[in-house]
Amino acid sequence: CIRDRVSTQSTGGRLKLMSHVILVEALQRTLEHDASVRGQAEETLNALALEQGFGIVLAEILGNVQAPLHLRQLAGLVLKKYVREHWEENSNYFKPPQIKEEDKQKIKVLLLPVLSDPESKIRTAAAMAIASIAFWDWPSKWNGLLEYLLSCLVSNDRNQIFGGARCLDIFASGGDLTDQHFRPFLEISYPKLLSVLSNYPNYPSVVIGQIAAVVYNLIRWASVVSSELPKLILESLPTLIGLIHAFLKVSVNNGDYETQIYSLQILDVLSTSFSK
């Protein structure tokens, strides 16, 4: 029974057990062919989103390896919407009530381990939720997040490497990021990102492509906020250019050109924005 496989004991700050069961059933009904059934399920989810603990239960389902994959994916999608609408009252998408601080902390704790999930779609769902939260809470309200994501890149767990790289990529590519994010992101991550790129033979090509995308976005941000290249990047240019030349010479397997594409984009930004 799906309900039994995803059920958890009700504790402080969680949805009551009956509401938890209703939530699982509502997620299931969103897949029905009957539009009226789907509409009722969505109304139920919207009503449950007003209860404290809703996001916690969604995060638990997302990270529950015993639950069916499709149900975990649905939980991830609903969680992303919940974060967008209820996390921060200054958001253009905000709908009351705002998530209580206690619930926010529990959701963060539950999401990070999901980056090492064996299912790539679940890792991506967790990465998207983490990046959405990080836009509002990092660095001031989520100390250590970036350090954790960078530590994933040197993990012995291959899944955790994939999850960390995916999350960094999603966060760095966020179009709404500001100077408040850029400067600490650059200072904390750039040396470690360059180290990963320097060890590219030891990493899957998809990971190197994602890290190259993060480096590109950091340099692109730098071109927006200043006409001078940050010292951290300037001092590493010989290493970075050497890596780009190496990436452009590497033979491409299975049509995976991401590393080469971002390498060329890095060169383009450097030559057009920092040519002096």
Side-chain angles (χ1 to χ4, degrees), residues 1-261:
C1 176
I2 291 176
R3 182 189 306 172
D4 294 336
R5 290 165 65 185
V6 299
S7 65
T8 61
Q9 296 299 316
S10 178
T11 60
R14 307 265 184 104
L15 287 174
K16 294 179 181 179
L17 182 58
M18 181 54 68
S19 296
H20 189 169
V21 171
I22 294 173
L23 188 156
V24 172
E25 292 177 343
L27 288 173
Q28 286 287 100
R29 291 200 304 274
T30 60
L31 298 176
E32 293 289 339
H33 294 294
D34 190 323
S36 64
V37 174
R38 294 198 306 272
Q40 292 173 357
E42 290 171 3
E43 289 179 6
T44 299
L45 290 173
N46 289 334
L48 289 173
L50 304 180
E51 296 190 34
Q52 184 180 358
F54 181 73
I56 295 174
V57 177
L58 289 173
E60 287 177 335
I61 295 172
L62 177 65
N64 186 349
V65 295
Q66 300 300 321
L69 178 59
H70 72 275
L71 191 65
R72 300 175 70 194
Q73 289 180 269
L74 284 171
L77 289 172
V78 176
L79 179 60
K80 180 184 176 184
K81 179 175 181 289
Y82 180 67
V83 167
R84 182 180 63 183
E85 295 178 349
H86 298 282
W87 196 273
E88 175 54 53
E89 62 182 356
N90 292 321
S91 168
N92 293 332
Y93 302 100
F94 179 73
K95 296 179 181 180
Q98 186 171 13
I99 304 171
K100 293 183 180 296
E101 195 61 35
E102 176 187 359
D103 280 21
K104 288 183 176 182
Q105 295 305 318
K106 290 180 179 178
I107 291 169
K108 292 175 185 176
V109 169
L110 287 166
L111 283 175
L112 290 179
V114 187
L115 291 176
S116 60
D117 195 90
E119 292 286 349
S120 63
K121 292 180 179 179
I122 300 302
R123 293 195 300 269
T124 296
M128 293 176 71
I130 290 168
S132 296
I133 294 170
F135 173 75
W136 296 108
D137 284 15
W138 187 83
S140 61
K141 296 181 182 178
W142 202 350
N143 293 329
L145 171 63
L146 193 57
E147 290 84 352
Y148 176 83
L149 296 177
L150 292 167
S151 73
C152 291
L153 302 179
V154 293
S155 170
N156 292 324
D157 183 341
R158 185 180 178 90
N159 291 325
Q160 192 172 33
I161 293 173
F162 283 124
R166 184 72 175 117
C167 193
L168 286 165
D169 185 12
I170 293 173
F171 185 31
S173 63
D176 297 326
L177 296 183
T178 66
D179 189 53
Q180 173 185 333
H181 299 100
F182 163 69
R183 294 190 184 279
F185 201 130
L186 175 67
E187 293 171 3
I188 295 171
S189 72
Y190 184 76
K192 294 184 179 180
L193 296 173
L194 200 63
S195 176
V196 171
L197 292 180
S198 297
N199 287 286
Y200 69 91
N202 298 320
Y203 283 90
S205 60
V206 65
V207 170
I208 294 301
Q210 289 168 342
I211 298 306
V214 176
V215 170
Y216 160 70
N217 279 301
L218 287 175
I219 295 176
R220 178 178 59 83
W221 287 344
S223 72
V224 171
V225 301
S226 174
S227 60
E228 295 184 1
L229 198 60
K231 182 179 179 181
L232 192 61
I233 299 176
L234 183 62
E235 293 177 345
S236 73
L237 273 184
T239 299
L240 180 60
I241 298 300
L243 286 169
I244 289 174
H245 287 164
F247 294 150
L248 294 177
K249 291 180 180 179
V250 172
S251 59
V252 176
N253 297 318
N254 303 320
D256 182 9
Y257 292 94
E258 190 169 4
T259 302
Q260 285 79 2
I261 290 171

